[in-house]
Amino acid sequence: MGTFLQEAGWGIWPVLFFGATALVAVVGYVRAPGRARGLLTVLLGVLTLVAGGLGTATGLQATCVFVAAAAPVDRWQFVIGLRESLNNLVEALLLVFLVALVAAAAHVRPAWRQQ
């Protein structure tokens, strides 16, 4: 996991912050459902995805600057930079997936109790 975070660069920190906050918010929503808590959870999920996209985009920009200055024989390293940059988006998608899974379970649970 340390290599994953290191490869992602600085952009991973906003992803982790917003994603962790979204997880805390969805747990609060499960415990005490309400419109405001639900909206907060959704907005934090969106912020997590936006931060993931921003981290990926800035990582790709840095990769392009490096590759543009590299010798033609070293331009294959763009693929490595692409993979590292995508770590931001992967983490954002994973965190939002977990938030959505918890929220979905919270909505299904009352239906299970009625059966």
Side-chain angles (χ1 to χ4, degrees):
M1 184 70 165
T3 303
F4 182 86
L5 296 176
Q6 183 180 10
E7 289 175 350
W10 69 268
I12 197 72
W13 299 111
V15 172
L16 291 173
F17 174 76
F18 290 125
T21 307
L23 284 170
V24 169
V26 78
V27 168
Y29 175 71
V30 168
R31 288 184 174 176
R35 183 177 169 93
R37 288 179 191 239
L39 180 60
L40 177 63
T41 301
V42 169
L43 291 174
L44 287 168
V46 169
L47 278 170
T48 303
L49 290 174
V50 169
L54 180 63
T56 300
T58 57
L60 284 174
Q61 284 180 323
T63 299
C64 289
V65 168
F66 171 79
V67 169
V73 71
D74 292 329
R75 292 200 176 147
W76 61 271
Q77 293 183 3
F78 176 81
V79 176
I80 294 171
L82 174 62
R83 181 188 57 79
E84 291 175 350
S85 298
L86 285 172
N87 286 356
N88 292 290
L89 189 57
V90 167
E91 186 68 25
L93 290 170
L94 176 64
L95 288 167
V96 170
F97 172 77
L98 292 174
V99 169
L101 191 63
V102 171
H107 283 280
V108 170
R109 186 175 55 171
W112 285 345
R113 287 184 180 173
Q114 292 176 358
Q115 294 179 356

